[in-house]
């Protein structure tokens, strides 16, 4: 599967799938993509019907539907197998393509199968730096912001979401919500968390990052760069996370196929 095909799949998934998912508390802080539940329409009272119509409905409800179910299940199984084959071929074609780490890459990469995120971890001058990076690419926002002038598969490249925490042996914890794209590493928000109760509600978290003084914004960017969180990570992260998304997608398809077959 070429990068264009992968982009097309991501576009389809962004257009048809819900962007919310059961993430950790850290992820919920980072990704503000959840949607309020849409209330179901009320059922209107059924109109009065004739005894003959009621009898037809009764007979229809007694008709066996197993053949229709088997046909639908078999069709779904074939479609899933075809999709798995397509993605596996893409993975095989990329197997020999090496993803080069950025120069002086200081992080340990923690990648647990089945997770939609990876964690970059390092110690720095007595601090513990962790960056949770998500495959839940912000595709919907990218599509909404697209003006249609360059909406082709080859140019589609979703942003990468990251939550960075800086923790010292004692005292509060700094947390940054970041957004990677081709042009920059943007800090969307930052918070000072209570170490003993980091998930406390109704706590003052400071003004939006964009409202901070420009000199303070630049100083915070340099603060992260000194700890290894910088734009030079983008290309490596993008390739790594796209491949992880492919692997997790295959596992997800296989799990669905197993469910259909049982």
């Amino acid at each position: 599967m070429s990068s264009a095909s992968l982009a097309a799949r991501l576009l389809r998934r962004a257009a048809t799938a819900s962007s919310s998912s059961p993430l950790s508390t850290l992820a919920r802080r980072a990704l503000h993509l959840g949607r309020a539940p849409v209330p179901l329409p009320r059922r209107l009272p059924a109109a009065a019907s004739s005894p003959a119509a009621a009898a037809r409905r009764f007979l229809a409800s007694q008709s066996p539907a197993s053949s229709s179910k088997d046909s639908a299940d078999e069709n779904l199984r074939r479609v899933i197998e075809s999709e798995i084959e397509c993605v596996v071929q893409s993975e095989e074609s990329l197997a020999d393509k090496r993803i080069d780490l950025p120069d002086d890459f200081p992080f340990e990469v923690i990648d647990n199968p089945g997770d939609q995120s990876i964690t970059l971890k390092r110690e720095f001058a007595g601090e513990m730096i962790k960056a949770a990076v998500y495959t839940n690419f912000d595709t919907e926002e990218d599509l909404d912001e697209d003006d249609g002038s360059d909406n082709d598969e080859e140019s589609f490249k979703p942003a990468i979401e990251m939550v960075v925490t800086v923790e010292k042996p004692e005292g509060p914890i700094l947390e940054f919500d970041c957004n990677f794209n081709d042009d920059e590493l943007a800090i969307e928000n930052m918070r000072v968390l209570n170490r003993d109760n980091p998930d406390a509600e109704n706590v003052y978290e400071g003004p939006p990052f964009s409202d901070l003084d420009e000199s303070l914004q630049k100083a915070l960017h340099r603060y992260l760069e000194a700890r290894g969180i910088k734009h030079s990570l983008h290309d490596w992260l993008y390739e790594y996370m796209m491949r992880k998304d492919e692997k997790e997608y295959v596992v997800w398809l296989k799990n669905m196929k197993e469910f259909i077959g049982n």
Side-chain angles (χ1 to χ4, degrees):
M1 184 186 296
S2 65
S3 59
S5 299
L6 178 56
R9 179 170 67 77
L10 285 172
L11 284 168
R12 293 197 304 272
R13 289 166 62 188
T16 59
S18 169
S19 61
S20 60
S21 59
L23 303 181
S24 64
T25 300
L26 190 64
R28 289 197 299 271
R29 290 180 180 277
L31 304 178
H32 309 292
L33 303 178
R35 297 176 179 174
V38 179
L40 294 175
R42 294 179 179 272
R43 292 179 62 88
L44 298 177
S49 57
S50 66
R56 286 195 298 270
R57 287 198 302 272
F58 176 79
L59 290 174
S61 67
Q62 304 303 307
S63 301
S66 60
S67 60
S68 176
K69 174 186 179 298
D70 292 344
S71 176
D73 289 4
E74 178 61 20
N75 177 68
L76 178 56
R77 186 188 63 79
R78 288 197 302 267
V79 172
I80 292 173
E81 288 180 344
S82 176
E83 182 74 354
I84 291 174
E85 182 180 358
C86 181
V87 180
V88 169
Q89 288 177 354
S90 171
E91 289 183 337
E92 291 174 350
S93 67
L94 295 174
D96 297 330
K97 182 181 178 182
R98 180 179 175 181
I99 305 177
D100 293 326
L101 287 171
D103 294 336
D104 301 323
F105 185 78
F107 295 99
E108 172 191 359
V109 180
I110 303 173
D111 184 354
N112 296 317
D115 288 353
Q116 71 170 6
S117 66
I118 65 170
T119 299
L120 307 182
K121 179 181 176 181
R122 72 172 297 198
E123 292 186 12
F124 176 80
E127 300 173 348
M128 177 59 66
I129 316 297
K130 293 181 181 179
V133 188
Y134 295 92
T135 58
N136 193 353
F137 296 150
D138 197 3
T139 48
E140 290 196 2
E141 182 176 334
D142 292 338
L143 291 173
D144 292 340
E145 293 179 354
D146 198 304
D147 59 6
S149 60
D150 192 26
N151 189 22
D152 60 84
E153 296 175 357
E154 293 293 345
S155 64
F156 176 74
K157 202 169 188 179
I160 299 172
E161 301 287 343
M162 175 185 287
V163 181
V164 181
T165 57
V166 181
E167 184 175 352
K168 294 184 178 182
E170 297 180 357
I173 300 171
L174 289 186
E175 183 178 83
F176 298 83
D177 299 341
C178 301
N179 189 316
F180 267 110
N181 57 45
D182 282 339
D183 300 323
E184 63 178 348
L185 166 63
I187 301 176
E188 303 294 340
N189 205 353
M190 65 88 60
R191 289 169 290 275
V192 182
L193 306 178
N194 185 321
R195 171 186 295 274
D196 297 325
N197 190 13
D199 301 324
E201 298 181 357
N202 198 31
V203 175
Y204 178 72
E205 296 185 344
F209 188 82
S210 58
D211 291 346
L212 296 177
D213 183 80
E214 185 176 351
S215 61
L216 180 54
Q217 293 185 40
K218 291 180 179 179
L220 287 168
H221 273 99
R222 288 196 294 270
Y223 178 87
L224 287 183
E225 288 177 359
R227 286 152 179 79
I229 306 298
K230 44 192 172 183
H231 184 256
S232 59
L233 293 175
H234 175 270
D235 290 347
W236 177 82
L237 276 176
Y238 174 77
E239 293 294 335
Y240 190 100
M241 298 305 285
M242 292 292 276
R243 290 196 186 185
K244 177 174 175 61
D245 184 75
E246 289 284 86
K247 292 177 182 178
E248 300 298 343
Y249 181 48
V250 170
V251 173
W252 180 82
L253 288 169
K254 289 180 177 179
N255 289 339
M256 182 161 54
K257 177 186 173 183
E258 181 179 359
F259 175 84
I260 298 299
N262 291 334

